[in-house]
C-alpha cells in the first residue's frame, strides 16, 4: 500500500510533538531529521550506503523502554556515521541529553514514542516511493518549512521558501544545461533546498557545490542531499566572504561555475569579518570603483556570485529591494553592473515571503553569456522587469506564492512577455536616462497600481454614467460586442455619458439572457469538455508505476493550453485568467488527486477495490488506545470514498435514509417549538426539564407520573374531572401542540403526553436510521471488491476527479458573470438619482414631516 503524502506529513509532525516543549524548533529539528534520515537509508538499503549489523534504525528498536535508550541510539548513529563518512553530519543531535530530553522515565518514554512513530507502516520507505518522484524529499521540505516557521525571526533563515526556490530554478535557465559535468553552485547554501530545486530541472543531471557558514545547517544540507539522491554533492562549511572554499588549485582564484543560485542573509552587517575588500585576493570587487558599505553585505554577495560564474554562466540571487535603488557606493556598483550588461532581469516579489523577515525582496537574474560590455545609446539591450508583488496567498503569519503565481512569473520571464501593470522590457537607455540615473526601483518603470474608482461630479449633478467607467469594461465588450448597446445609449447632447436602457432591477436578467452571454457560456463549456475528454482518456490509460509529478505536469499544462487566449479563435477566454483556472486544478491536486496518484503508482487501479475502517488513536494516561470509528462515516476507500460509492450504486437507499432524517428533523422542530412556548418559568413543560433546559425520557416520565398522581387525589368530583378531561381532550384533538390555557393545571397532562409521543416517534425514527445505515454500510463494503477495473476508472476519473474540477471551473465562470453584473449595477445605483432630484426629494419629505408635526401641535 502506498504512502499518502497527507499521512506521511501527519506522522512526521506527530514525531515533533514528542520533542516540542523541552526545546524549540531550531533544536528539535535536528533530532527529527536525523531519525528520518536513518529510517530512510535503513529502508532503502542503497548499495552505496554501508549498513552493517547493529547500525540501522531497526537496531534502535531493541532498546525501546530501556533506561540506556538515549546512549544506545547515539552509539548506533555514531557507528553508522563512521562507516559512511558522516561524522559531524548526523551526530550533532545528542539523544542522551538530559537538558533537552528529560531524565529517567521521561526521556525513556519520549525516545520510545519517537521510535514507535518512525516504525509505523506509513513511514516504511522500502516499498512506498513512486519511481522518479521525490516523496521523501518533499517530506523533508515539509518539516523544514514548519521548523522555519516555528523557529522565529532569528533562527528561520536556514530555509528558502520552496516556492521561491522553484521560481529561481526555472528562471536561471538550468533546464537548458547539456551535461552532467556542468556545475551548480550556492555560496550560501543553507539546508540545500535551493540547490536541489535547481538541480531537479537539469535534464542530464548536474554537479552540485555549496558552502554554508553554520555547521549545523551544513549538516542538514548534507542529509538533504542524501535524501534527494545527491549524495555526491560537495557541501563545505565556512565563511564564503572571508574564506571561499571552492578555488582553482593552480591559480588560487575562485572556482567558476556554469550556474549559481543564492539566498544570502539580507543586509548582513558582519560581511567584512576576516576580509579586507580592498586587498581581496579573489578580485571580487575589482572594476566596480567602490566596495560595498561596511555594514551592509548585499552587494558583496552579489559580486561574489558574479565572480563565481564562468564567462557564459548564469545565476539568480535573492536581494532586498533596497539593492535596486540605494545610493552612494551601492549606486556606483549598480551602475557598473548594469553597464557590464550582467543583469538579465529583475523580479519583484511580495512582502513577508521569507522566514526571519517580513520585508519584500527581489530576484536578480544574472546572464554573463549575453552581457553587453559597453553601453550604446541605440542598443536594444534591456533589463526585463516583473512586478509580482501582488500575487500571493496568506498562509498563517506568512505570505506564500501560489502555483498560479509561480507559473505566471516563470512563463512571463522566460518568454519575455510584456503585460500591462505586470512586466516590461526596460531599455538600458531608459535606465541610463538622467531622470533615472541607473536606479532600478521597479515602480519607476512599471505602474502596477489599480486605477482609482473616481466619483464623477457632473454625473452626480446631471445624471448619466461616465463613459470612462463603461469603457473600462472593454474586456467584456470584446466578448459581448452587442451587449453594450443593448444596455446603454449615449445621453443626448452629452457624448461622454451613457444612460441605461433598462431598469436597474432588470440588469441581471438582461445580461444573463443575452444571446452573446449564453454563447460565451456554451463556448466555455466546450473548452472544458475538450480538456475533460482528453484528460479522461489520458488518466484512464495510466497504471501502476506512474510518476505522479510527471503526470500532473502533463495534465495541468494541457489545461493551461486550452484556456490560453492565443489558442482560442475567439476572445472568449480573454475574460478568464488561465492561471486562475490552473490554480483550481493544483488546489484539487494537493487536496485529493495527489494521494490518489500515489495509490495508483503503488498498486494500480485495483486499489479502488479496497475500503477500510478508520482508526482513531486516543490516550488514556500513558496508554494509547486505538478505536475504530463505526458507521458509514467511519469508512475510507483507497481511491473511491464511500459517499461516491453510495451516490453511484445506492442512491435509493441513501434517499430513504435522508427521508427518515427529514422526518426526525420535523419531530425535533415540533419538540423545540413546545419547549420554547411552554418551557419558561411556570410553563407546562418546566417540571420535565433539567437545569440546562433539556427534557430527558426519565424526567418526562417522572413529570407525567406526578400529574397523574395529582389528578388521582384531586378533591374535584369525578363528573367534574371527567368533563374537564373531555374538554381538554377535545381541545387537543383540534390543536395538539398548543393548549389554549397554559395556566390551567389540568392541561399539563395532555401536553406532556403529546411531547412524549413526539419523543417516542423520534426515537423510533432514529432506530430506523441506524438500521438503514448499518444495512447500507454492509452493501457498500460488499460492493468494493465487486467493481471491475473499468468501473473503478469510470468512478474515480469521471465521477470524482472530473466532476470536482467541473464544479470548480463552473464556479469560476459564474464569478466572471457576477463581476460584470455587479459592476454595472454598482454604477447604475451610484448615478441613478442626480443631486438636484435628491434635493427636490429631500425638500418634499421635509415639508411632509413639518406638516405632520404641525397637525400634532408640535412647535420648533
Amino acid at each position: 500500500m502506498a504512502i499518502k503524502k497527507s499521512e506521511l506529513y501527519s506522522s512526521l509532525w506527530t514525531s515533533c510533538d514528542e520533542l516540542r516543549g523541552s526545546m524549540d524548533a531550531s533544536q528539535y529539528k535536528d533530532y527529527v531529521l536525523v531519525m528520518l534520515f536513518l529510517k530512510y537509508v535503513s529502508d532503502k538499503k542503497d548499495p552505496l550506503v554501508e549498513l552493517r549489523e547493529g547500525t540501522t534504525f531497526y537496531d534502535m528498536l531493541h532498546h525501546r523502554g530501556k533506561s540506556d535508550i538515549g546512549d544506545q541510539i547515539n552509539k548506533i548513529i555514531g557507528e553508522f556515521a563512521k562507516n559512511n563518512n558522516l561524522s559531524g553530519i548526523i551526530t550533532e543531535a545528542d539523544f542522551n541529553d538530559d537538558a533537552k530530553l528529560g531524565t529517567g522515565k521521561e526521556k525513556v518514554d519520549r525516545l520510545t514514542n519517537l521510535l514507535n512513530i518512525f516504525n509505523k507502516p506509513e513511514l516504511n520507505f522500502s516499498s512506498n516511493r513512486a519511481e522518479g518522484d521525490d516523496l521523501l524529499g518533499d517530506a523533508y521540505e515539509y518539516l523544514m518549512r514548519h521548523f522555519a516557521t516555528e523557529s522565529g525571526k532569528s533562527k528561520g533563515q536556514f530555509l528558502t521558501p520552496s516556492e521561491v526556490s522553484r521560481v529561481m530554478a526555472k528562471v536561471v535557465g538550468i533546464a537548458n544545461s547539456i551535461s552532467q559535468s556542468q556545475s551548480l553552485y550556492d555560496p550560501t547554501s543553507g539546508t540545500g533546498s535551493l540547490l536541489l530545486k535547481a538541480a531537479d530541472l537539469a535534464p542530464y543531471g548536474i554537479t552540485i557545490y555549496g558552502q554554508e557558514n553554520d555547521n549545523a545547517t551544513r549538516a542538514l544540507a548534507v542529509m538533504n542531499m542524501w535524501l534527494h539522491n545527491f549524495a555526491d554533492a560537495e557541501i563545505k562549511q565556512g565563511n564564503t566572504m572571508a574564506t571561499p572554499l571552492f578555488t582553482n588549485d593552480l591559480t588560487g582564484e575562485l572556482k567558476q561555475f556554469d550556474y549559481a543560485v543564492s539566498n544570502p542573509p539580507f543586509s548582513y552587517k558582519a560581511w567584512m569579518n576576516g576580509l579586507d575588500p580592498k586587498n581581496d585576493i579573489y578580485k571580487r570587487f575589482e572594476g566596480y570603483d567602490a566596495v560595498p558599505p561596511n555594514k551592509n553585505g548585499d552587494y558583496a554577495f552579489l559580486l561574489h556570485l558574479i565572480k563565481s560564474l564562468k564567462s557564459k554562466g548564469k545565476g539568480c540571487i535573492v536581494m532586498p529591494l533596497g539593492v535596486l535603488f540605494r545610493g552612494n557606493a551601492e549606486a556606483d556598483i549598480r551602475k557598473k553592473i548594469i553597464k557590464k550588461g550582467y543583469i538579465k532581469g529583475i523580479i519583484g516579489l511580495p512582502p513577508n515571503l521569507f522566514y526571519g523577515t517580513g520585508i519584500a525582496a527581489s530576484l536578480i537574474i544574472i546572464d554573463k553569456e549575453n552581457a553587453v560590455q559597453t553601453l550604446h545609446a541605440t542598443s536594444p539591450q534591456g533589463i526585463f522587469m516583473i512586478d509580482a508583488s501582488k500575487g500571493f496567498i496568506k498562509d498563517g503569519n506568512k505570505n506564500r506564492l501560489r502555483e498560479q503565481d509561480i507559473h505566471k512569473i516563470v512563463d512571463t520571464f522566460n518568454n519575455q512577455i510584456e503585460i500591462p501593470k505586470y512586466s516590461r522590457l526596460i531599455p538600458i537607455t531608459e535606465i541610463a536616462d538622467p531622470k533615472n540615473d541607473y536606479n532600478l526601483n521597479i515602480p519607476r518603470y512599471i505602474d502596477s497600481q489599480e486605477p482609482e474608482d473616481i466619483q464623477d461630479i457632473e454625473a452626480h449633478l446631471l445624471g448619466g454614467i461616465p463613459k470612462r467607467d463603461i469603457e473600462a469594461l472593454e474586456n467584456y465588450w470584446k466578448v459581448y460586442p452587442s451587449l453594450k448597446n443593448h444596455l446603454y445609449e449615449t445621453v443626448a447632447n452629452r457624448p461622454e455619458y451613457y444612460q441605461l436602457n433598462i431598469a436597474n432591477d432588470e440588469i441581471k436578467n438582461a445580461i444573463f439572457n443575452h444571446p452573446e452571454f449564453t454563447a460565451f457560456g456554451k463556448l466555455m463549456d466546450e473548452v472544458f469538455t475538450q480538456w475533460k475528454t482528453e484528460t479522461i482518456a489520458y488518466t484512464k490509460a495510466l497504471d501502476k508505476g506512474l510518476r505522479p509529478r510527471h503526470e500532473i505536469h502533463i495534465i495541468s499544462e494541457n489545461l493551461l493550453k486550452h484556456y490560453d487566449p492565443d489558442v482560442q479563435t475567439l476572445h472568449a477566454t480573454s475574460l478568464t485568467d488561465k492561471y486562475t483556472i490552473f490554480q483550481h486544478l493544483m488546489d484539487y491536486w494537493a487536496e485529493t488527486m495527489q494521494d490518489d496518484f500515489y495509490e495508483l503508482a503503488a498498486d494500480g487501479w485495483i486499489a479502488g477495490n479496497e475500503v477500510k475502517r478508520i482508526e482513531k488513536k486516543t490516550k488514556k494516561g500513558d496508554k494509547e488506545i486505538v478505536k475504530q470509528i463505526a458507521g458509514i462515516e467511519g469508512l475510507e476507500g483507497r481511491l473511491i470514498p464511500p459517499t461516491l460509492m453510495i451516490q453511484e450504486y445506492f442512491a435509493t437507499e441513501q434517499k430513504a435514509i435522508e427521508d427518515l432524517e427529514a422526518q426526525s428533523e420535523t419531530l425535533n422542530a415540533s419538540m423545540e417549538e413546545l419547549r420554547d412556548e411552554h418551557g419558561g418559568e411556570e410553563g407546562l413543560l418546566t417540571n420535565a426539564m433539567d437545569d440546562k433546559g433539556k427534557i430527558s425520557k426519565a424526567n418526562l416520565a417522572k413529570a407525567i407520573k406526578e400529574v397523574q398522581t395529582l389528578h388521582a387525589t384531586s378533591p374535584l368530583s369525578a363528573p367534574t374531572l371527567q368533563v374537564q378531561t373531555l374538554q381538554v381532550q377535545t381541545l387537543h384533538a383540534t390543536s395538539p401542540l398548543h393548549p389554549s390555557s397554559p395556566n390551567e393545571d389540568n392541561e399539563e397532562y395532555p401536553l406532556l403526553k403529546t411531547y412524549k409521543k413526539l419523543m417516542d416517534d423520534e426515537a423510533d425514527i432514529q432506530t430506523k436510521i441506524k438500521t438503514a445505515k448499518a444495512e447500507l454500510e454492509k452493501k457498500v463494503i460488499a460492493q468494493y471488491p465487486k467493481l471491475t477495473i473499468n468501473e473503478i476508472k469510470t468512478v474515480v476519473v469521471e465521477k470524482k476527479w472530473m466532476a470536482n474540477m467541473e464544479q470548480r471551473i463552473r464556479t469560476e465562470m459564474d464569478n466572471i458573470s457576477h463581476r460584470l453584473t455587479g459592476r454595472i449595477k454598482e454604477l447604475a445605483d451610484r448615478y441613478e438619482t442626480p443631486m438636484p432630484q435628491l434635493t427636490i426629494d429631500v425638500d418634499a419629505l421635509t415639508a411632509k414631516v413639518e406638516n405632520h408635526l404641525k397637525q400634532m401641535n408640535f412647535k420648533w
Side-chain angles (χ1 to χ4, degrees):
M1 184 179 293
I3 289 182
K4 290 187 175 182
K5 277 197 174 183
S6 54
E7 292 180 356
L8 171 62
Y9 294 171
S10 174
S11 296
L12 289 176
W13 202 237
T14 300
S15 71
C16 300
D17 289 335
E18 289 296 332
L19 301 173
R20 190 177 288 110
S22 58
M23 60 190 101
D24 65 32
S26 65
Q27 296 174 312
Y28 69 70
K29 74 176 187 299
D30 300 330
Y31 291 86
V32 173
L33 293 173
V34 165
M35 193 63 69
L36 173 65
F37 176 79
L38 200 62
K39 179 63 165 64
Y40 167 65
V41 295
S42 298
D43 284 342
K44 188 181 179 186
K45 296 182 174 64
D46 191 313
L48 298 179
V49 178
E50 188 169 349
L51 283 172
R52 296 182 187 177
E53 185 178 350
T55 66
T56 73
F57 167 82
Y58 296 98
D59 293 302
M60 296 179 182
L61 300 180
H62 301 311
H63 302 285
R64 286 177 292 182
K66 296 181 180 178
S67 60
D68 63 343
I69 182 173
D71 183 50
Q72 292 299 327
I73 290 176
N74 280 345
K75 289 178 179 178
I76 291 170
I77 293 174
E79 189 64 24
F80 173 85
K82 184 175 70 174
N83 296 338
N84 291 277
N85 196 29
L86 288 171
S87 296
I89 302 297
I90 64 170
T91 54
E92 292 298 301
D94 182 2
F95 284 83
N96 203 32
D97 189 332
D98 292 349
K100 293 179 179 177
L101 297 169
T103 59
K105 187 175 184 300
E106 180 186 6
K107 179 169 65 178
V108 172
D109 289 348
R110 176 169 282 151
L111 292 177
T112 297
N113 290 338
L114 187 64
L115 290 174
N116 287 337
I117 290 167
F118 277 92
N119 194 42
K120 293 195 297 186
E122 52 263 43
L123 288 179
N124 185 340
F125 302 109
S126 61
S127 60
N128 282 285
R129 297 191 69 212
E131 187 63 32
D133 261 52
D134 190 18
L135 179 63
L136 188 62
D138 290 346
Y140 184 89
E141 284 194 7
Y142 165 84
L143 286 173
M144 293 302 296
R145 184 170 68 251
H146 280 74
F147 292 144
T149 300
E150 289 201 354
S151 292
K153 184 173 182 179
S154 62
K155 300 175 182 177
Q157 298 179 19
F158 51 77
L159 181 70
T160 303
S162 172
E163 297 79 16
V164 176
S165 297
R166 288 167 56 197
V167 172
M168 295 175 71
K170 291 180 178 181
V171 299
V172 79
I174 201 168
N176 298 319
S177 61
I178 58 175
S179 168
Q180 187 175 358
S181 64
Q182 288 187 288
S183 54
L184 170 65
Y185 170 60
D186 186 344
T188 56
S189 59
T191 60
S193 61
L194 179 50
L195 276 170
L196 288 166
K197 281 290 183 292
D200 191 48
L201 295 182
Y204 305 102
I206 202 161
T207 305
I208 295 177
Y209 300 88
Q211 182 166 338
E212 167 56 39
N213 193 35
D214 182 78
N215 189 51
T217 304
R218 180 247 177 179
L220 296 177
V222 173
M223 283 192 288
N224 202 0
M225 295 297 156
W226 276 59
L227 293 175
H228 286 79
N229 294 314
F230 283 99
D232 58 348
E234 195 172 347
I235 309 296
K236 295 185 178 183
Q237 187 267 320
N239 184 328
T240 295
M241 294 310 305
T243 313
L245 298 176
F246 294 102
T247 57
N248 189 307
D249 294 336
L250 295 177
T251 64
E253 296 179 346
L254 287 181
K255 182 179 176 67
Q256 293 186 314
F257 306 90
D258 297 288
Y259 300 94
V261 289
S262 180
N263 177 18
F266 289 174
S267 304
Y268 188 51
K269 294 186 181 346
W271 72 274
M272 279 192 180
N273 287 355
L275 171 68
D276 178 4
K278 294 182 179 179
N279 296 299
D280 178 35
I281 62 173
Y282 304 108
K283 302 177 182 178
R284 289 170 287 188
F285 312 106
E286 191 176 274
Y288 293 96
D289 299 338
V291 297
N294 292 356
K295 298 297 183 181
N296 192 323
D298 292 329
Y299 269 97
F301 286 105
L302 175 57
L303 293 177
H304 175 87
L305 181 132
I306 291 174
K307 187 68 174 179
S308 298
L309 288 172
K310 294 179 179 179
S311 60
K312 294 184 178 181
K314 296 170 176 61
C316 183
I317 188 170
V318 184
M319 290 272 104
L321 289 179
V323 165
L324 304 178
F325 54 78
R326 290 195 298 249
N328 301 320
E330 290 184 314
D332 294 335
I333 297 172
R334 181 171 60 247
K335 182 176 181 179
K336 281 289 186 179
I337 294 175
I338 295 171
K339 282 190 172 185
K340 289 175 182 288
Y342 287 151
I343 300 179
K344 178 181 180 179
I346 298 171
I347 300 171
L349 298 174
N352 202 27
L353 289 181
F354 293 88
Y355 306 105
T357 180
I359 68 172
S362 63
L363 303 181
I364 299 180
I365 299 92
I366 303 296
D367 184 357
K368 276 190 171 182
E369 181 177 12
N370 297 308
V372 176
Q373 298 300 325
T374 56
L375 178 65
H376 299 286
T378 59
S379 171
Q381 177 73 10
I383 295 176
F384 193 82
M385 289 189 181
I386 296 178
D387 185 348
S389 60
K390 293 181 172 59
F392 63 90
I393 189 173
K394 292 291 295 181
D395 186 10
N397 62 351
K398 304 299 292 183
N399 295 332
R400 178 169 56 82
L401 295 177
R402 298 163 295 183
E403 292 293 333
Q404 69 183 81
D405 304 318
I406 296 169
H407 213 303
K408 184 177 181 179
I409 292 170
V410 172
D411 285 352
T412 303
F413 184 82
N414 287 343
N415 297 304
Q416 302 281 284
I417 302 170
E418 293 194 310
I419 302 173
K421 298 186 175 295
Y422 185 75
S423 61
R424 187 181 158 224
L425 178 64
I426 317 299
I428 293 296
T429 51
E430 183 177 345
I431 294 171
D433 187 285
K435 70 177 181 181
N436 292 318
D437 193 23
Y438 296 93
N439 186 315
L440 294 177
N441 196 21
I442 296 174
R444 280 179 175 259
Y445 308 100
I446 300 174
D447 180 10
S448 63
Q449 297 299 313
E450 292 298 323
E452 186 180 354
D453 189 10
I454 301 172
Q455 299 279 344
D456 190 286
I457 296 176
E458 181 178 337
H460 279 301
L461 291 173
L462 303 179
I465 300 171
K467 181 179 180 180
R468 65 169 178 271
D469 287 329
I470 306 303
E471 290 182 342
L473 301 170
E474 182 61 22
N475 277 350
Y476 291 97
W477 308 139
K478 287 179 181 178
V479 179
Y480 315 129
S482 67
L483 178 60
K484 176 181 174 183
N485 293 332
H486 177 69
L487 294 173
Y488 299 104
E489 63 181 16
T490 306
V491 176
N493 302 319
R494 294 172 62 217
E496 294 302 311
Y497 293 87
Y498 285 96
Q499 64 185 21
L500 271 172
N501 293 327
I502 56 175
N504 285 16
D505 56 5
E506 290 296 319
I507 290 174
K508 183 175 180 180
N509 287 336
I511 294 174
F512 279 56
N513 293 322
H514 193 273
E516 290 171 349
F517 183 89
T518 55
F520 167 75
K522 289 179 181 178
L523 180 57
M524 287 295 93
D525 288 342
E526 290 172 8
V527 171
F528 177 78
T529 300
Q530 186 178 357
W531 174 79
K532 180 175 77 169
T533 302
E534 294 172 7
T535 306
I536 288 173
Y538 182 81
T539 52
K540 282 186 176 181
L542 297 173
D543 213 331
K544 186 176 180 178
L546 65 87
R547 293 177 296 158
R549 278 186 177 177
H550 174 73
E551 304 305 345
I552 188 56
H553 175 75
I554 291 174
I555 293 168
S556 62
E557 290 300 314
N558 191 34
L559 181 69
L560 278 170
K561 183 184 74 174
H562 280 75
Y563 283 91
D564 191 329
D566 294 335
V567 175
Q568 301 300 324
T569 56
L570 299 178
H571 291 287
T573 53
S574 64
L575 290 184
T576 64
D577 178 1
K578 65 179 182 178
Y579 296 108
T580 301
I581 301 293
F582 168 80
Q583 185 66 41
H584 284 295
L585 175 58
M586 299 313 295
D587 286 343
Y588 186 51
W589 169 258
E591 294 165 13
T592 301
M593 286 181 71
Q594 179 176 238
D595 281 343
D596 288 349
F597 271 55
Y598 274 97
E599 293 283 5
L600 287 174
D603 297 312
W605 293 101
I606 195 68
N609 285 130
E610 296 185 25
V611 64
K612 67 177 182 178
R613 183 81 66 190
I614 300 173
E615 294 181 346
K616 183 178 181 181
K617 295 182 180 180
T618 57
K619 282 189 176 181
K620 188 175 182 180
D622 292 330
K623 186 178 180 182
E624 192 175 69
I625 302 171
V626 178
K627 295 181 179 180
Q628 289 190 335
I629 302 175
I632 296 172
E633 64 278 1
L635 297 179
E636 179 181 70
R638 284 182 66 189
L639 284 178
I640 303 174
T643 52
L644 186 54
M645 185 73 81
I646 292 169
Q647 172 189 307
E648 293 302 311
Y649 295 97
F650 304 104
T652 301
E653 290 86 342
Q654 180 64 22
K655 178 64 167 56
I657 291 173
E658 291 171 355
D659 289 343
L660 288 172
E661 289 174 338
Q663 293 177 41
S664 174
E665 289 177 6
T666 300
L667 291 169
N668 276 306
S670 297
M671 285 188 281
E672 184 178 1
E673 186 178 352
L674 287 178
R675 290 194 301 273
D676 289 343
E677 187 170 349
H678 301 289
E681 189 174 348
E682 298 182 0
L684 297 178
L685 291 176
T686 303
N687 291 336
M689 291 183 171
D690 60 18
D691 294 340
K692 296 180 180 180
K694 296 182 179 180
I695 299 178
S696 65
K697 284 188 176 182
N699 285 345
L700 183 61
K702 182 180 178 182
I704 291 173
K705 187 174 181 181
E706 288 176 353
V707 172
Q708 288 174 327
T709 302
L710 175 66
H711 282 283
T713 58
S714 172
L716 294 174
S717 63
T720 303
L721 182 58
Q722 289 174 359
V723 170
Q724 290 180 344
T725 302
L726 181 61
Q727 290 174 338
V728 170
Q729 289 173 339
T730 302
L731 174 65
H732 281 279
T734 57
S735 179
L737 300 184
H738 302 283
S740 59
S741 303
N743 292 323
E744 295 179 21
D745 289 341
N746 56 11
E747 291 191 23
E748 184 177 2
Y749 179 74
L751 180 62
L752 292 172
K753 293 293 287 183
T754 297
Y755 195 94
K756 183 177 184 302
K757 178 66 167 59
L758 291 171
M759 184 178 280
D760 290 342
D761 288 347
E762 203 278 331
D764 182 56
I765 293 289
Q766 287 299 325
T767 300
K768 291 179 180 178
I769 291 173
K770 185 177 180 180
T771 302
K773 283 187 174 182
E775 290 299 316
L776 178 55
E777 180 185 297
K778 291 178 184 177
K779 291 181 179 180
V780 169
I781 293 173
Q783 184 66 26
Y784 274 95
K786 295 178 183 178
L787 298 178
T788 66
I789 295 299
N790 284 336
E791 286 177 318
I792 293 171
K793 289 182 178 182
T794 297
V795 173
V796 173
V797 177
E798 297 182 33
K799 307 298 183 179
K800 184 181 180 182
W801 297 342
M802 291 300 105
N804 190 284
M805 279 302 301
E806 186 166 6
Q807 181 180 3
R808 290 170 185 250
I809 292 180
R810 193 173 296 281
T811 299
E812 187 63 35
M813 295 300 103
D814 290 343
N815 289 340
I816 292 171
S817 306
H818 290 306
R819 282 195 292 270
L820 173 62
T821 306
R823 180 57 175 169
I824 290 176
K825 194 169 189 320
E826 178 185 26
L827 292 171
D829 291 342
R830 178 182 296 174
Y831 300 111
E832 181 178 21
T833 308
M835 188 68 70
Q837 183 61 49
L838 286 174
T839 303
I840 293 171
D841 292 344
V842 169
D843 290 343
L845 289 172
T846 301
K848 188 179 290 186
V849 170
E850 289 176 350
N851 184 51
H852 285 308
L853 292 173
K854 185 176 181 180
Q855 291 178 5
M856 291 185 289
N857 294 320
F858 278 99
K859 295 181 180 179
W860 64 96

